[in-house]
């Protein structure tokens, strides 16, 4: 088995990131390639659903929200009233899909924004600040019910992509033509930070905070590429991370549905988020042809029966990341244990087969002997009468001798 010298790698053309309607904003697979604005125009839906959530974080955010609104006096009171009514409405309408819940929430944000600017005459910079707090409060209250809801198959998709990434652990940046040299200590540190950021995303509740984690992760990766190449990185070089972030699909769907659409349609956050979506789609479709491998080699690598490379400890440069070295050692150890387990299972099955064959053979031999030498059971002979039997007349025996008295 050999890895071919040429590889196809990840290629993300700039045009693939943009809305397919041609409006100039970034598209998204969840919006069928459209940006949020164009998608809503094409597939408009309406109204809410959901419930309440009580937790320490919810209480903390609620208190912060009330304290924040106090500084706006009458406007703050009106905003709090509208927000409370919205949450109550959501609570009593739980039968709607996540898309409908998203539409309802986005419509509420838009209505509050317009009301503040037209009726409240609130300056635009203050409106943006208030809206950030409103969104933080609402999504925190609704998070338990709108993140990976039971009405969707997000959990199934999460497990599928996690299993897929785990199976692709053997794929290196070099196979994807991604210039990331982890033997450079600074690059190795960047990769570790990127993995930390993308994993941290799952612990955040506010969509913009999750989006910020993606942006930080992506920047670390691009910086790692820049250091390796000694020149700026491009979208074609993008590699999301070697980590396996939990609930990846659920987080992407949650950001898509409840983040401010303008953040996803344009700007730095939108660019990195769209790249991440493209990278996830690439991982899901990655096959032997993508890596210029034979189907046989690809299947062997995916089943962990073998690995395309095993790097021994003496080949590492002195300043290589200890964590990365340990990871590869662990992968090699797991591969060896897997091979041993497969051998044991193979031998156990062979032993089981041999025992069954031996038992069947013994049973057949016994049957053959029984058929060749059948056992004949004869009736017992008539038993002879005992000498001391009472039936003595047939034997004509004399009477027993009697003792005589000697007279003399």
């Amino acid at each position: 088995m050999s890895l071919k010298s040429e590889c196809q790698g990840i290629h993300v053309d700039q045009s693939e990131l943009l809305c397919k309607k041609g409006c100039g904003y970034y598209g998204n697979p969840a919006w069928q390639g459209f940006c949020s604005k164009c998608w809503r125009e094409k597939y408009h839906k309406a109204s809410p659903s959901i419930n309440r959530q009580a937790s320490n974080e919810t209480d903390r955010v609620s208190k912060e929200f009330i304290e924040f609104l106090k500084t706006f006096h009458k406007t703050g009171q009106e905003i709090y009233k509208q927000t409370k009514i919205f949450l109550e409405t959501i609570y009593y309408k739980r039968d709607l899909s996540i898309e409908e819940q998203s539409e309802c929430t986005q419509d509420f944000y838009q209505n509050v924004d317009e009301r503040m600017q037209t009726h409240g005459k609130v300056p635009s910079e203050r409106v943006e600040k208030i809206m950030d707090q409103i969104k933080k409060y609402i999504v925190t209250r609704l998070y338990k019910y709108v993140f990976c809801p039971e009405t969707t198959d997000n959990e199934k998709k999460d497990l599928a992509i996690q299993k897929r990434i785990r199976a692709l652990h053997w794929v290196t940046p070099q196979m994807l033509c991604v210039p990331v040299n982890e033997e450079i200590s600074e690059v190795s540190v960047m990769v570790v930070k990127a993995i930390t950021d993308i994993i941290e995303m799952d612990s955040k509740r506010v969509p913009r905070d999750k989006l910020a984690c993606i942006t930080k992760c992506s920047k670390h990766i691009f910086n790692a590429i820049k250091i390796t190449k000694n020149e700026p990185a491009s979208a074609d070089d993008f590699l999301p991370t070697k980590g396996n972030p939990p609930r990846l699909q659920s987080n992407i769907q949650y950001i898509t549905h409840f983040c401010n659409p303008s953040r996803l349609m344009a700007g730095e956050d939108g660019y990195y988020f769209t790249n991440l979506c493209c990278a996830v789609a690439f991982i899901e479709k990655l096959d032997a042809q993508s890596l210029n491998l034979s189907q046989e080699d690809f299947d062997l690598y995916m089943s962990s029966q073998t690995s395309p490379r095993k790097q021994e400890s003496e080949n590492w440069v002195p300043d290589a990341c200890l964590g990365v070295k340990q990871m590869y050692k662990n992968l090699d150890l797991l591969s060896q244990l897997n091979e041993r387990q497969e051998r044991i299972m193979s031998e156990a099955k062979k032993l089981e087969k041999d025992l069954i064959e031996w038992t069947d053979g013994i049973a057949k031999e016994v049957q053959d002997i029984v058929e060749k030498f059948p056992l004949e059971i004869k009736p017992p002979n008539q038993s002879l009468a005992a000498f001391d039997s009472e039936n003595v007349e047939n034997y004509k025996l004399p009477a027993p001798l009697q003792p005589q008295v000697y007279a003399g």
Side-chain angles (χ1 to χ4, degrees):
M1 290 175 291
S2 62
L3 185 65
K4 297 182 181 179
S5 58
E6 296 181 357
C7 56
Q8 195 167 311
I10 298 178
H11 176 74
V12 181
D13 190 87
Q14 189 69 22
S15 61
E16 297 176 14
L17 304 179
L18 300 177
C19 173
K20 66 181 184 181
K21 191 175 180 180
C23 65
Y25 291 117
Y26 294 126
N28 190 299
W31 296 326
Q32 300 180 18
F34 293 100
C35 69
S36 174
K37 181 175 179 294
C38 296
W39 184 81
R40 291 182 73 184
E41 289 175 354
K42 188 174 181 63
Y43 304 98
H44 184 71
K45 297 180 181 179
S47 280
S49 120
I50 284 6
N51 210 305
R52 293 184 178 179
Q53 174 184 4
S55 68
N56 292 333
E57 185 173 359
T58 301
D59 293 339
R60 178 182 60 79
V61 171
S62 298
K63 290 177 182 178
E64 291 178 356
F65 184 60
I66 293 172
E67 290 298 319
F68 172 79
L69 292 179
K70 285 181 180 179
T71 60
F72 295 92
H73 307 293
K74 187 176 180 180
T75 301
Q77 294 177 5
E78 181 63 25
I79 291 172
Y80 182 75
K81 180 181 178 181
Q82 294 177 27
T83 305
K84 187 175 181 181
I85 292 173
F86 170 74
L87 290 173
E88 291 294 333
T89 303
I90 290 291
Y91 174 74
Y92 289 109
K93 295 183 178 180
R94 314 181 197 184
D95 57 339
L96 300 179
S97 68
I98 193 65
E99 288 78 13
E100 291 172 319
Q101 296 169 24
S102 171
E103 286 290 338
C104 182
T105 304
Q106 297 294 350
D107 288 343
F108 173 73
Y109 293 157
Q110 186 174 349
N111 291 336
V112 174
D113 188 301
E114 292 176 355
R115 185 182 292 270
M116 281 192 292
Q117 293 192 51
T118 57
H119 294 81
K121 306 297 183 182
V122 181
S124 58
E125 63 274 6
R126 297 186 72 184
V127 168
E128 184 176 354
K129 187 177 180 181
I130 294 172
M131 289 306 303
D132 283 343
Q133 291 298 320
I134 292 174
K135 292 171 184 177
K136 180 179 180 181
Y137 173 66
I138 287 179
V139 295
T140 302
R141 289 288 302 271
L142 301 180
Y143 187 78
K144 182 179 179 180
Y145 305 97
V146 297
F147 181 85
C148 192
E150 295 180 358
T151 56
T152 68
D153 60 350
N154 287 352
E155 185 175 3
K156 182 179 179 181
K157 291 180 179 179
D158 288 335
L159 294 174
I161 191 66
Q162 195 168 49
K163 182 179 179 181
R164 178 72 171 172
I165 294 174
R166 192 180 296 118
L168 289 168
H169 68 85
W170 51 271
V171 178
T172 64
Q174 290 72 31
M175 292 181 183
L176 301 173
C177 295
V178 177
V180 174
N181 184 2
E182 293 184 56
E183 293 185 359
I184 303 174
S185 59
E186 194 175 355
V187 172
S188 180
V189 170
M190 291 290 182
V191 171
V192 172
K193 287 182 178 179
I195 294 172
T196 303
D197 288 331
I198 198 67
I199 292 176
E200 186 184 7
M201 173 181 64
D202 189 57
S203 66
K204 305 296 183 180
R205 289 194 174 192
V206 182
R208 72 168 185 269
D209 293 342
K210 290 181 180 289
L211 201 58
C213 290
I214 294 174
T215 298
K216 287 192 296 182
C217 166
S218 302
K219 285 185 175 180
H220 287 313
I221 294 171
F222 275 96
N223 285 335
I225 296 171
K226 180 180 178 181
I227 294 170
T228 302
K229 293 176 62 178
N230 198 24
E231 63 180 60
S234 66
D236 288 346
D237 298 324
F238 184 74
L239 177 69
T241 180
K242 288 169 61 180
N244 197 347
R247 302 192 290 186
L248 181 58
Q249 290 286 12
S250 289
N251 278 287
I252 289 176
Q253 291 299 317
Y254 176 71
I255 293 171
T256 299
H257 288 127
F258 293 97
C259 189
N260 186 341
S262 63
R263 288 181 180 270
L264 303 183
M265 292 162 57
E268 188 178 57
D269 289 344
Y271 174 75
Y272 289 127
F273 180 73
T274 305
N275 271 282
L276 176 63
C277 292
C278 291
V280 171
F282 177 84
I283 291 171
E284 292 175 332
K285 297 177 182 178
L286 187 65
D287 55 15
Q289 185 178 2
S290 303
L291 300 171
N292 284 317
L293 292 171
S294 68
Q295 189 62 46
E296 180 184 2
D297 285 354
F298 183 80
D299 293 339
L300 287 173
Y301 298 156
M302 290 295 288
S303 61
S304 298
Q305 295 183 38
T306 187
S307 176
R309 55 96 184 90
K310 291 185 177 181
Q311 193 161 7
E312 302 298 335
S313 57
E314 59 266 19
N315 295 330
W316 293 99
V317 296
D319 58 350
C321 175
L322 294 176
V324 173
K325 289 196 288 186
Q326 187 62 47
M327 179 184 69
Y328 284 127
K329 288 180 181 178
N330 291 341
L331 287 174
D332 289 340
L333 179 60
L334 287 172
S335 178
Q336 294 172 22
L337 290 174
N338 185 64
E339 292 174 3
R340 288 179 58 187
Q341 184 182 19
E342 289 181 352
R343 286 199 301 270
I344 291 172
M345 290 300 296
S346 176
E347 292 297 326
K349 289 180 180 179
K350 184 177 182 299
L351 177 60
E352 181 183 20
K353 181 181 178 183
D354 291 344
L355 285 172
I356 293 173
E357 290 178 352
W358 178 79
T359 303
D360 293 343
I362 294 296
K364 188 176 185 304
E365 289 181 11
V366 171
Q367 184 65 29
D368 291 342
I369 292 173
V370 169
E371 292 176 355
K372 187 175 182 180
F373 304 102
L375 179 63
E376 296 181 6
I377 301 178
K378 297 180 179 180
N381 295 328
Q382 187 70 27
S383 60
L384 298 175
F387 282 110
D388 58 351
S389 171
E390 294 180 357
N391 187 18
V392 296
E393 63 275 14
N394 295 331
Y395 296 97
K396 307 298 182 181
L397 294 176
L401 294 177
Q402 298 294 323
Q404 301 293 320
V405 178
Y406 178 70

